[in-house]
Amino acid sequence: MQRKKGKIILLMIAAMMLIVTVFYVADRYARNPFVKKNSAVGTKTDKNHPTEDGMNTEATEELSLPVSKTWNQVLPYEKNIEKIGQPFVVKSEYEDAPYLDTHMEICVNEARITKERVDTDALYYALDRYPIQVDEEKNILNNYNYVVVNITLRNLMETETEFYVNSFDYFSYNPQIEDLEDMGELQGYKTLADPFVYDKSYARVLIPGGGEFTCNLVYLQKDESIEGKIPYLFYSHTGMSVPYDDKARFVRLDEGKN
């Protein structure tokens, strides 16, 4: 009899633990920003723009950020969109690795999308990965395009800093579904005259203190990721699309300088 009572008590305890676990999981699920209204709440740093001394004035505010339904990242919106010809400043600090600190002014000077020959090393690598057809002059013959973004990076630190230019990605935004539809990784930033060496350090550039670095970032995108879409250059110093990355920026590529 005592043994039977003991089993009943254990079953009651197990049932109570199961109920508590179900309620906990349900509450966590309801709070998940990716399954509720496609928005994420976090502390967002206001736009960073250089002052006369090259420093930033920052203010933080709690925002409900628009998040992509298909990509693990925040969407372009008023607070994180920059313009062609308008410099913006990003700053990253690492307590455990100060040599990775970055304080950089970034400016997209111009952008163009074309099938005509571009002086770039992008095809060296891309021809082995994508079914791109080109003629002898490197003009594209099929449904791919060169997306060329001329960019200038200015090191606002006094010391030399390293920067990885593959921190920039191409994203196309589809206004019909109000979401990001396609993305492209950097394919090249050097010229045809540069020796082709593609290794882990390929995208790494060293910029002296107070110095500048200008290049053409080149992406190779299909017609369908361009036609009827809004093209953006996306920047994230982490190299990841993180919804709460307050240093992430979008630059709209189909608008001229304003």
Side-chain angles (χ1 to χ4, degrees):
M1 189 63 144
Q2 294 294 330
R3 186 177 299 175
K4 188 174 183 180
K5 286 183 179 180
K7 288 183 178 180
I8 292 173
I9 292 172
L10 287 174
L11 287 172
M12 290 176 65
I13 293 173
M16 290 177 65
M17 291 178 65
L18 178 62
I19 291 171
V20 170
T21 301
V22 169
F23 274 103
Y24 175 78
V25 172
D27 180 68
R28 295 282 292 183
Y29 183 82
R31 292 171 184 270
N32 189 333
F34 298 106
V35 297
K36 187 176 182 181
K37 297 182 180 179
N38 294 311
S39 64
V41 177
T43 300
K44 178 73 171 65
T45 304
D46 198 2
K47 271 190 174 182
N48 303 329
H49 292 289
T51 57
E52 291 183 0
D53 60 358
M55 299 299 289
N56 296 341
T57 300
E58 295 184 344
T60 58
E61 55 184 347
E62 188 168 291
L63 298 173
S64 179
L65 305 179
V67 175
S68 170
K69 295 184 282 290
T70 54
W71 298 84
N72 180 30
Q73 82 148 71
V74 67
L75 292 171
Y77 74 112
E78 181 184 1
K79 292 288 184 178
N80 66 5
I81 296 178
E82 306 291 347
K83 297 179 180 178
I84 290 179
Q86 174 181 285
F88 59 96
V89 172
V90 294
K91 187 176 183 180
S92 301
E93 296 179 328
Y94 301 86
E95 291 184 5
D96 298 330
Y99 60 91
L100 293 176
D101 289 356
T102 300
H103 191 189
M104 195 77 62
E105 178 185 282
I106 300 172
C107 183
V108 173
N109 303 310
E110 62 179 348
R112 60 193 175 100
I113 299 174
T114 181
K115 290 180 182 291
E116 296 181 357
R117 180 184 186 275
V118 173
D119 185 13
T120 177
D121 65 338
L123 291 177
Y124 288 138
Y125 184 56
L127 286 176
D128 292 332
R129 301 180 64 195
Y130 306 105
I132 301 171
Q133 298 174 13
V134 296
D135 61 18
E136 293 180 356
E137 299 298 321
K138 301 298 189 293
N139 299 303
I140 295 179
L141 303 176
N142 60 348
N143 62 330
Y144 278 84
N145 302 266
Y146 294 108
V147 178
V148 187
V149 183
N150 183 263
I151 194 168
T152 296
L153 309 171
R154 184 162 72 94
N155 183 10
L156 300 180
M157 300 175 66
E158 295 181 356
T159 57
E160 181 181 72
T161 188
E162 65 178 32
F163 190 91
Y164 284 82
V165 291
N166 59 353
S167 299
F168 297 96
D169 290 319
Y170 170 88
F171 269 104
S172 62
Y173 179 86
N174 188 337
Q176 299 297 319
I177 62 173
E178 298 183 338
D179 201 357
L180 298 172
E181 187 172 275
D182 192 19
M183 68 87 66
E185 297 177 342
L186 180 71
Q187 299 300 316
Y189 70 96
K190 299 181 180 181
T191 69
L192 289 167
D194 292 314
F196 179 62
V197 179
Y198 203 100
D199 55 25
K200 291 182 179 179
S201 64
Y202 170 78
R204 176 175 174 263
V205 297
L206 297 175
I207 307 176
E212 294 184 354
F213 177 79
T214 298
C215 67
N216 284 327
L217 305 177
V218 179
Y219 305 84
L220 292 158
Q221 299 300 127
K222 289 184 176 181
D223 293 342
E224 51 263 39
S225 72
I226 295 171
E227 297 171 355
K229 312 299 190 305
I230 300 174
Y232 283 101
L233 182 72
F234 171 76
Y235 165 79
S236 173
H237 179 67
T238 64
M240 299 173 63
S241 301
V242 183
Y244 307 106
D245 184 0
D246 63 356
K247 298 174 182 61
R249 293 290 184 270
F250 287 90
V251 181
R252 185 165 174 169
L253 301 178
D254 61 348
E255 294 182 338
K257 297 180 182 180
N258 292 314

